[in-house]
Amino acid sequence: MDKFDQQILALLRNDARMAVTAIARQVSLSRTAVSDRIRHMEERGIIRGYHADVSDDEPPAVRAFLELFYNESRCETYVDKIRAFPEVKRCCGISGDTDMLIYLETASMERLIEIRAAIEGFHKMVRVKTHIVMKEWDM
């Protein structure tokens, strides 16, 4: 990689949607030369993709609690499996009839159903009870 490739990468890191014409102006190369360099960097795996930087400020579409009931004596049996779901925000072993309580936030009801189905398939899982958050008040 020469200085032109490095300049092109720096511009794309800053704005992945930057037009090739604008990049060409900034690095003092022709549009064709810039397009060729970008294509070569993509082919060599230097540029692996273009991504959107999405704000986390948007509230999740679905928030829910799952009560887990299983035939295992230890919550730790399931904790690592549950960590695999980034939507799970809290996982608590609790007293009473419920063995574990999970709080999760998903982008859609379909995703909640997928996660619930996966958890229901865990070894010795007896039942999963779902509680959808309808409203929340600040305290």
Side-chain angles (χ1 to χ4, degrees):
M1 276 192 10
D2 62 14
K3 72 174 186 165
F4 293 111
D5 289 341
Q6 291 172 355
Q7 290 173 336
I8 292 167
L9 285 177
L11 291 168
L12 288 173
R13 277 189 184 109
N14 188 48
D15 181 2
R17 295 182 60 182
M18 187 174 205
V20 172
T21 306
I23 295 170
R25 265 194 308 269
Q26 293 218 14
V27 298
S28 301
L29 290 174
S30 71
R31 186 182 187 289
T32 303
V34 170
S35 293
D36 289 345
R37 285 173 176 271
I38 290 172
R39 185 174 40 78
H40 286 120
M41 286 189 279
E42 289 170 343
E43 289 170 354
R44 293 190 333 233
I46 295 168
I47 297 175
R48 294 186 304 244
Y50 301 87
H51 309 281
D53 185 10
V54 180
S55 170
D56 289 335
D57 294 338
E58 187 68 28
V62 180
R63 294 171 295 152
F65 290 90
L66 300 181
E67 286 184 79
L68 307 186
F69 303 85
Y70 45 81
N71 287 333
E72 283 290 329
S73 59
R74 299 180 50 82
C75 295
E76 290 79 8
T77 305
Y78 299 104
V79 172
D80 284 337
K81 292 178 182 182
I82 291 167
R83 280 190 181 118
F85 301 105
E87 294 90 348
V88 173
K89 304 303 178 193
R90 302 208 52 176
C91 179
C92 305
I94 60 175
S95 63
D97 293 334
T98 302
D99 294 305
M100 186 178 286
L101 185 66
I102 297 172
Y103 172 73
L104 55 114
E105 300 175 344
T106 64
S108 66
M109 185 61 74
E110 291 77 19
R111 180 62 180 149
L112 174 62
I113 292 167
E114 288 173 8
I115 294 169
R116 180 191 159 114
I119 292 172
E120 285 176 323
F122 289 173
H123 182 66
K124 296 191 177 181
M125 186 62 60
V126 174
R127 183 167 60 112
V128 177
K129 187 174 179 183
T130 305
H131 303 274
I132 303 294
V133 175
M134 303 296 290
K135 184 171 174 101
E136 193 171 327
W137 291 269
D138 290 330
M139 295 298 187

